[in-house]
Amino acid sequence: MTDRRRRNAPAGRHSRTRQITPRAHWLLLSVLVVTLSVALLLQGYTHHMFGITSDNVTGTRGSSAAVPTQVAHGGPVIADAATSAHTAQVQARTIALTFDDGPDPVWTPRILDVLRRNHVHATFFVVGTEVVAHPELIRRIVAEGHQIGIHTFTHPDLAHLAPWQRSLELRETQLAVAGAAGVTTALLRPPFSSKNDALDDADWSVLKQADAAGYVTVLTTQDAEDWQRPGVDRILANATPHGHGGQIMLMHDGGGDRSQTVAALNTLIPRLKAQGFTFAAVSDAVGMAGPVQPAGLVDHLQGLALIKVLQGGDWAVWLLGLLMYAAGAISVLRAVVVLIAARRHRRLRTRHRSRLWGPPMTAPVSVIVPAYNESAGIEAAVRSLLASDHPVEVIVVDDGSTDGTADLVESLGLPVRVIRQQNAGKPAALNTGLAAATWDLVVMVDGDTVFEPDTVRTIVQPFADPRVGAVSGNAKVVNRGGLLGRWQHIEYVVGFNLDRRLFDLAQCMPTVPGAVGAFRRRALLDLGGVSDVTLAEDTDLTMALCRAGWRVVYEEDAKAWTEAPASLNALWRQRYRWCYGTLQAMWKHRGALVQRGAAGKLGRRGLIYLLLFQVLLPLLAPVVDIFALYGLIFLDPVRIIGLWLAFLLLQLLMGLYAFRLDGERPGPLWSLPLQQFVYRQLMYLVVIQSVFTAVSGSRLRWQRMERYGSLKAPTGTEAPRNDCFPQEPGFPQPVPYEAHAQPGSYGGSAQPAPYGVPHQGPHNDHRQAAPHETPQWY
């Protein structure tokens, strides 16, 4: 929409439109990405870097020369390891039951029930990730009078970690306990620890660092070995003390099936009580004062935040996995549907080519070329149209160009009508051309596009069927050099043209491209001409024709060569307009979803397909990339790479088939893997930005596409070839195309880019307009 039209719009038309700076969208998206990344990193580290395993000692035991003798042969509770280490023994006939690796949602409550029935208090050395997952169990443990100790956050072997990782493991576990139960604890049991005499120098360095952080280390004197699940009787035998000495008993309430532990406790506690043993928490068993204290407000709040972030990470991973499966299913579904439809479309066209539409269409055609600052390619476009083997009336509508486009066309001395108008936008230029057209069939072509000699003749043949109101041609990229050009070439062949075969077969064509499309003039006039309420006037117009009952078909042999953006910035602007305009058109024609006939086919087939595969799938596709990175770091990289290769193979097969259908050489498909890392992400961002813009109510302005002069004008059109072509209404009707000389071929599909060399004519020095001079986008 131009500034002039915005100023002249009715007062209430845009009065409720909220103007949101696009940068705010990207700021919000950046915050979401950073937040998600942090949550995933924390979730991946806490769930997949280590994890609870059996209590077998990891690795070979090293030297123990640094371990003080009084520690190696002392009591299981070790304090002041960093200064003057000393230990504490458990009082005689006292059992301190300790449970590692919890809390577990199944086994911890059952163990707590056993302890409550027997009026016994124990000490639970908890793993931080389990605390985050089940904070309510920590609150129950504390509420029932049991003690809490920490068993690290992810259950790693601390002796194998760097000092900063050890600190992180201890600090995060402490915060999780503070957030869940509002307490802190000074008790620590390192994972994979056992008795004092098993300590080596690496273990001792861990104990000294823990002491510096304020922790007292609690080892064991008797291991029930329930982690091996040897059976209830064996657990009872392992847990029964020999003699009357006090013991710190190692058992487990998490890390696997603990049904044998629960059963053994039901027998063990009454049996030991009968033998004269008493049960106590660790601090009471060794005479230690209050290791568990209320947490400060800051620690409690930080702990709550940690729990929420990690729970959010768990939820995010679950959601990402669900979305990844959804995106994968949609991608496979699209590939299957498109390939089946393309094959059937090809077979139908091949089998019924001679009687597909009806008698040959020989009547002249009006070709409308809307032009705004098109001096770089307009000569090539016009000459290619005049080289057609079908009688044409070429009308160039100059929409207020500032680079001499109209003067250039007039100076060529060719049978072309030039209409000048003030800058009003592409829809207005097309409507001007429609009003001036002589013939009932009109072809619309962009000023940066050239036709092959048979393009016009081929594209109008479907109009032999009176139900056909519009025909989409086959647009091809001419400047396909370089990676960006190759990627767009692949997209045109694999994406756009395969989809059009499906739309044609399903009779729900949503878009006739502006680069090459043919229409019944009376059908357009019945609609009121080309609408300017969306930025995708071609999509809006096509959908309106479908809803009016006209059939829109695809003619793959009607080829046109168009300039594609040669920079990422230009590509972004073009696709942003396309996507945003398509969203506008979909919303405008949403009523087709509940209509019958041709309109219903558009709504329930075409619009739903666009919603699934051109809106939702691109929105979901980044999930696949994010989850792939997550999987490469924290999951099985071989499996992730295998899935990615399978997805790439699916795309490659689609590409090979699409290139075969279009008669293209498959060479450019070598760049398909690279396309996944740059081009695909750019298209995602385009869709995301377009959806943000649409949801926010912002309006995107028209802009101008860059022109590069990569089109080559065909030879043989230096002078008028057909002086009977009408230049004004009322001229005599031209003779059929069979009476005209046939120009030379443009090279066909064997030559991928017949217009690949820029035309070096006398008008290439026309000034290109600056961006601020170009309010319209062509």
Side-chain angles (χ1 to χ4, degrees):
M1 180 179 293
T2 65
D3 291 338
R4 175 182 59 80
R5 289 180 53 230
R6 184 182 296 276
R7 288 194 298 268
N8 294 340
R13 183 173 179 180
H14 305 305
S15 59
R16 294 188 301 272
T17 298
R18 294 182 295 112
Q19 294 297 325
I20 296 181
T21 303
R23 291 180 181 177
H25 302 158
W26 293 121
L27 178 61
L28 176 60
L29 183 62
S30 299
V31 171
L32 290 175
V33 169
V34 171
T35 303
L36 179 61
S37 299
V38 171
L40 290 178
L41 285 173
L42 286 174
Q43 201 274 349
Y45 177 85
T46 56
H47 287 71
H48 301 292
M49 288 297 291
F50 303 105
I52 299 174
T53 58
S54 71
D55 276 359
N56 278 326
V57 177
T58 57
T60 58
R61 185 168 178 265
S63 170
S64 58
V67 181
T69 302
Q70 66 271 26
V71 172
H73 300 286
V77 180
I78 304 170
D80 300 325
T83 54
S84 55
H86 63 275
T87 66
Q89 296 280 0
V90 181
Q91 299 172 12
R93 291 186 177 275
T94 301
I95 303 294
L97 288 175
T98 63
F99 297 92
D100 289 4
D101 298 348
D104 183 274
V106 175
W107 307 115
T108 301
R110 297 186 184 183
I111 290 174
L112 288 172
D113 291 341
V114 174
L115 297 177
R116 185 179 66 250
R117 287 195 301 269
N118 289 277
H119 307 288
V120 168
H121 289 156
T123 303
F124 290 81
F125 289 94
V126 297
V127 176
T129 54
E130 299 303 315
V131 174
V132 170
H134 313 290
E136 72 285 351
L137 292 179
I138 299 298
R139 290 192 287 271
R140 179 182 172 183
I141 290 171
V142 173
E144 294 185 3
H146 304 286
Q147 278 186 345
I148 295 291
I150 67 172
H151 199 46
T152 71
F153 202 79
T154 62
H155 204 271
D157 189 340
L158 293 176
H160 295 166
L161 298 186
W164 70 269
Q165 284 182 287
R166 299 172 186 172
S167 297
L168 180 65
E169 288 282 336
L170 302 183
R171 176 59 178 166
E172 297 308 291
T173 312
Q174 192 73 261
L175 285 178
V177 171
V183 298
T184 61
T185 179
L187 303 179
L188 164 68
R189 173 171 288 162
F192 308 107
S193 62
S194 57
K195 300 180 180 180
N196 294 51
D197 57 6
L199 293 172
D200 61 14
D201 293 346
D203 298 325
W204 184 242
S205 70
V206 172
L207 268 60
K208 291 195 295 182
Q209 183 176 348
D211 173 68
Y215 291 98
V216 173
T217 301
V218 180
L219 301 179
T220 64
T221 60
Q222 191 153 358
D223 187 354
E225 298 185 6
D226 59 336
W227 51 271
Q228 298 189 60
R229 292 193 288 276
V232 175
D233 292 339
R234 188 61 188 167
I235 293 175
L236 286 171
N238 293 334
T240 301
H242 301 287
H244 303 294
Q247 305 291 337
I248 291 184
M249 186 78 64
L250 172 61
M251 303 184 85
H252 296 80
D253 66 326
D257 183 350
R258 300 304 175 210
S259 57
Q260 294 179 6
T261 303
V262 175
L265 280 173
N266 278 308
T267 302
L268 179 68
I269 295 175
R271 177 185 295 180
L272 293 181
K273 280 187 174 183
Q275 294 176 7
F277 284 92
T278 61
F279 291 87
V282 166
S283 63
D284 297 329
V286 300
M288 178 182 177
V292 179
Q293 298 292 329
L297 178 62
V298 174
D299 283 346
H300 180 59
L301 293 178
Q302 288 181 345
L304 286 175
L306 175 66
I307 291 173
K308 294 301 181 183
V309 168
L310 291 178
Q311 288 177 343
D314 293 340
W315 179 84
V317 169
W318 175 84
L319 181 61
L320 286 177
L322 182 65
L323 293 177
M324 184 190 71
Y325 284 118
I330 292 175
S331 298
V332 172
L333 176 64
R334 177 183 179 272
V336 171
V337 170
V338 167
L339 289 176
I340 292 176
R343 184 171 183 269
R344 185 178 178 187
H345 182 271
R346 178 75 171 199
R347 291 175 62 183
L348 289 174
R349 287 294 177 89
T350 303
R351 185 182 305 168
H352 306 294
R353 173 68 66 182
S354 60
R355 52 187 177 86
L356 186 60
W357 305 116
M361 297 296 292
T362 60
V365 175
S366 296
V367 182
I368 303 172
V369 186
Y372 178 78
N373 288 349
E374 298 283 2
S375 62
I378 193 66
E379 180 178 352
V382 169
R383 290 185 182 277
S384 73
L385 295 172
L386 293 176
S388 298
D389 59 10
H390 191 96
V392 294
E393 170 194 37
V394 179
I395 303 172
V396 175
V397 182
D398 183 85
D399 189 44
S401 297
T402 60
D403 67 344
T405 297
D407 296 334
L408 168 58
V409 176
E410 289 176 341
S411 69
L412 297 177
L414 299 174
V416 177
R417 297 177 62 188
V418 178
I419 302 175
R420 301 172 185 256
Q421 67 177 32
Q422 290 185 349
N423 181 255
K426 185 177 181 180
L430 291 172
N431 287 329
T432 299
L434 279 174
T438 303
W439 309 107
D440 182 56
L441 298 182
V442 296
V443 172
M444 296 179 182
V445 54
D446 290 338
D448 63 340
T449 304
V450 293
F451 278 14
E452 294 194 353
D454 63 348
T455 299
V456 174
R457 172 171 53 83
T458 303
I459 202 171
V460 299
Q461 296 310 308
F463 289 109
D465 184 342
R467 300 172 299 171
V468 173
V471 182
S472 168
N474 186 347
K476 291 182 170 293
V477 174
V478 63
N479 52 330
R480 57 182 68 171
L483 279 177
L484 190 59
R486 288 190 183 94
W487 291 340
Q488 292 178 85
H489 170 45
I490 293 173
E491 184 182 28
Y492 271 66
V493 175
V494 180
F496 301 157
N497 290 341
L498 276 184
D499 281 347
R500 287 194 181 102
R501 294 175 189 273
L502 171 64
F503 292 141
D504 190 2
L505 195 65
Q507 299 181 21
C508 60
M509 185 77 67
T511 304
V512 172
V516 51
F519 303 86
R520 289 190 191 273
R521 181 170 176 265
R522 61 183 176 88
L524 300 185
L525 294 179
D526 288 343
L527 293 175
V530 182
S531 173
D532 62 356
V533 299
T534 73
L535 295 186
E537 79 290 330
D538 47 5
T539 299
D540 186 8
L541 181 63
T542 307
M543 291 183 177
L545 285 170
C546 288
R547 296 187 68 185
W550 291 100
R551 185 180 174 191
V552 182
V553 301
Y554 173 55
E555 179 49 71
E556 66 269 24
D557 292 331
K559 299 175 183 177
W561 301 84
T562 186
E563 276 191 331
S567 68
L568 289 176
N569 184 50
L571 178 65
W572 172 274
R573 295 200 306 270
Q574 183 198 64
R575 298 310 170 85
Y576 185 20
R577 179 181 69 88
W578 284 5
C579 185
Y580 183 79
T582 299
L583 291 175
Q584 288 179 308
M586 290 171 64
W587 181 254
K588 176 181 176 181
H589 296 284
R590 64 190 183 277
L593 289 167
V594 296
Q595 291 182 281
R596 296 182 178 181
K601 293 178 181 178
L602 170 70
R604 290 182 290 277
R605 298 176 186 177
L607 293 186
I608 290 178
Y609 184 92
L610 292 178
L611 180 64
L612 285 177
F613 301 119
Q614 294 193 17
V615 179
L616 292 182
L617 183 58
L619 289 177
L620 292 178
V623 171
V624 178
D625 296 336
I626 293 174
F627 204 82
L629 291 175
Y630 175 85
L632 287 174
I633 298 173
F634 297 113
L635 302 179
D636 183 2
V638 175
R639 180 184 177 188
I640 298 299
I641 293 174
L643 290 174
W644 183 81
L645 290 176
F647 178 71
L648 184 63
L649 178 62
L650 178 64
Q651 290 186 308
L652 181 61
L653 292 175
M654 287 183 64
L656 289 171
Y657 188 64
F659 270 59
R660 178 184 174 187
L661 289 179
D662 258 26
E664 293 280 357
R665 295 175 180 175
L669 290 175
W670 71 263
S671 65
L672 192 60
L674 298 176
Q675 190 185 43
Q676 309 305 307
F677 297 104
V678 179
Y679 191 82
R680 196 161 58 97
Q681 282 72 18
L682 182 67
M683 296 300 104
Y684 299 161
L685 294 177
V686 166
V687 175
I688 291 171
Q689 174 66 19
S690 300
V691 171
F692 265 121
T693 305
V695 170
S696 69
S698 301
R699 290 190 178 274
L700 185 64
R701 294 181 57 189
W702 287 88
Q703 302 177 52
R704 174 182 173 270
M705 273 295 297
E706 297 178 17
R707 302 306 188 204
Y708 312 103
S710 56
L711 303 174
K712 181 180 178 182
T715 58
T717 56
E718 288 76 8
R721 291 166 55 260
N722 190 350
D723 56 6
C724 65
F725 283 7
Q727 299 299 305
E728 296 292 344
F731 272 55
Q733 174 145 344
V735 295
Y737 68 89
E738 288 88 349
H740 297 283
Q742 302 296 312
S745 172
Y746 278 69
S749 59
Q751 282 202 311
Y755 304 103
V757 181
H759 173 65
Q760 303 298 328
H763 305 287
N764 281 354
D765 57 349
H766 279 268
R767 183 179 68 87
Q768 298 296 308
H772 67 274
E773 298 175 326
T774 56
Q776 303 298 334
W777 195 342
Y778 282 78

